Amino acid sequence: MSVYSMTGYASVQSEGAESAGLAVSRIGTHHRIGLEIRSVNSRFLDIGFRLPDELRECEPALRELLGRHLKRGKVEVRISLGSGDGPALADPPPRLLQRLNALQDSVRTWLPDAAGLSVAEVLKLAAADSPARAAFSEQLLPLAEKAVSALREARLREGERLASMLTDRLTQLAQLVARVVPLVPQLVEVQRTRFLERWAEALSLAGSSALPDTAHERAMTEAASYAIKIDVAEEVSRLNSHLDEIGRLLTQGGEVGKRLEFLIQELHREANTLGSKSGALELTRIAVDMKVLIEQMREQIQNIE
C-alpha cells in the first residue's frame, strides 16, 4: 500500500446532454456538469457540498461515494451547470405555464397583494420539472467517480513526496542518535578526571593528610553518580525503536497518519529528555538538531491520511 496525503485537487466536466444519449430537442439545452473536489488536512473526514438546486437530491449518494474512498480530510465538493453552444435555456412546456398561471390566480384570490411570478422564477420552476434534471442525475455519479479517482491520484502523488521527505529526516535522526552513543562514556571519563583533579587541589590547599586512596574513592563515587545521571541508554533505545516503527509504517502505507502523529510526539518527548540530561555542549546541540528535524516531520505528518 501507499501513503496518501490529505491535500489534493481534481476537476472534471461532462460532455453534455448528447453524450448521455438524450436528444437535444428533449432537453432543450447543451448543459454540462462541472465538478471540483478540493481536500486539505483534518483530524476526521469532513465533507461539504455546494450544489445547484437541480442536483441537491444527489448529495447523499455523493457523500456515500466519498466516504468509501476517503478516510480523513476536509473535503469541499463544488458542482456547477454550464451551457455549451446550444440554446442556453429550455422552453417551458405550455402545460406547465398554464398550471403555474392557474396556481397564481388561485393564490391571488386569497392574497390579492401577492407579487406575480417573475420570468426567472418561472424558468427555475420549469427547470426543476425538466427531463434534463433526471439526465443530470444520471451523469453525476459516474462523473463523481472519475473526479474521486483523480483526487486519489493527486493525494497519492503528494503522499509519495511526503514519504520521501520523512524518510530523509529519519535517516538524519538515526545519524544523530548514532553520534550520541559514544559520547556518554567519553563524558563520564572526562568528568572522573575532573573530580580527581578537584579533590587533589582541595586536599593540597587544605593541607589535609587524607590518604590519596580515600580521595580517589570519593572521586570515583562522584563519577559513578554522574554517569547514572547522564545515562541516556534508555532514551537512545526508545528513539531507535520509534524511528524503526515510523519507517515501517511509511513502507506499509495505508491509513497511518494518526499512528505517525503519536510516534512523533514520543520522539519529541525522548529528544527533550536527552536534552535535559545533557552534560556537554555537543549533546545539547544534538538534542536541538533532533527537535528541529522532529518538528519538520510533525508539520508534514499532519497532512498524511
Side-chain angles (χ1 to χ4, degrees):
M1 297 181 69
S2 301
V3 173
Y4 285 85
S5 169
M6 287 185 279
T7 301
Y9 173 80
S11 176
V12 295
Q13 185 173 341
S14 69
E15 297 298 328
E18 291 177 327
S19 67
L22 298 169
V24 175
S25 60
R26 178 185 173 193
I27 297 180
T29 180
H30 287 183
H31 272 119
R32 291 183 175 87
I33 303 174
L35 194 154
E36 291 184 1
I37 307 180
R38 303 173 186 268
S39 68
V40 294
N41 63 309
S42 176
R43 291 184 63 189
F44 308 101
L45 182 60
D46 180 11
I47 305 174
F49 293 94
R50 295 191 179 184
L51 308 180
D53 291 339
E54 293 89 339
L55 299 175
R56 184 65 60 184
E57 63 189 21
C58 299
E59 181 175 328
L62 290 171
R63 189 176 296 277
E64 191 274 335
L65 170 64
L66 290 166
R68 280 192 281 113
H69 293 280
L70 308 175
K71 303 305 177 184
R72 293 177 67 200
K74 183 176 177 61
V75 182
E76 180 180 331
V77 180
R78 291 171 177 253
I79 299 178
S80 60
L81 297 179
S83 57
D85 299 330
L89 296 171
D91 293 333
R95 182 176 300 178
L96 175 64
L97 294 176
Q98 292 173 357
R99 178 61 177 161
L100 290 175
N101 188 54
L103 289 172
Q104 181 173 248
D105 290 342
S106 176
V107 170
R108 282 182 167 176
T109 300
W110 296 95
L111 301 172
D113 295 331
L117 288 170
S118 67
V119 173
E121 290 169 338
V122 170
L123 291 175
K124 186 175 181 180
L125 292 169
D129 191 56
S130 170
R133 181 169 184 168
F136 292 147
S137 298
E138 291 174 4
Q139 293 181 72
L140 183 57
L141 285 182
L143 190 66
E145 290 271 9
K146 183 178 178 181
V148 171
S149 177
L151 178 69
R152 290 281 288 171
E153 291 177 3
R155 287 167 58 130
L156 174 60
R157 290 192 298 270
E158 178 66 11
E160 290 175 343
R161 186 190 69 80
L162 292 177
S164 176
M165 187 279 291
L166 291 171
T167 300
D168 177 67
R169 299 300 186 275
L170 285 177
T171 301
Q172 295 181 51
L173 281 170
Q175 292 171 350
L176 289 174
V177 173
R179 286 171 53 190
V180 171
V181 177
L183 285 178
V184 176
Q186 296 174 15
L187 291 172
V188 172
E189 180 59 29
V190 169
Q191 195 64 25
R192 185 185 70 84
T193 302
R194 287 178 182 174
F195 282 140
L196 287 172
E197 291 173 353
R198 289 173 184 174
W199 275 104
E201 182 181 353
L203 288 172
S204 80
L205 290 175
S208 173
S209 60
L211 293 176
D213 288 345
T214 304
H216 185 272
E217 183 180 347
R218 180 63 183 273
M220 293 300 293
T221 302
E222 294 291 341
S225 175
Y226 176 77
I228 294 173
K229 179 180 177 181
I230 69 168
D231 182 25
V232 292
E234 291 186 9
E235 286 74 17
V236 168
S237 176
R238 286 194 290 266
L239 281 168
N240 283 323
S241 176
H242 296 330
L243 293 176
D244 290 343
E245 181 63 10
I246 291 174
R248 188 188 69 80
L249 289 175
L250 291 176
T251 302
Q252 169 188 307
E255 301 166 33
V256 296
K258 290 185 177 180
R259 296 181 66 183
L260 288 173
E261 289 177 9
F262 170 76
L263 288 169
I264 282 294
Q265 292 177 0
E266 294 303 304
L267 273 181
H268 195 270
R269 188 196 314 277
E270 300 303 334
N272 273 335
T273 304
L274 186 68
S276 67
K277 286 187 174 184
S278 173
L281 183 59
E282 188 172 358
L283 265 180
T284 301
R285 288 173 176 168
I286 290 175
V288 171
D289 290 343
M290 282 183 178
K291 287 190 279 189
V292 170
L293 290 172
I294 291 169
E295 193 59 35
Q296 291 174 357
M297 294 176 68
R298 186 201 305 276
E299 292 176 2
Q300 301 304 321
I301 282 175
Q302 289 175 352
N303 291 318
I304 292 180
E305 185 175 40

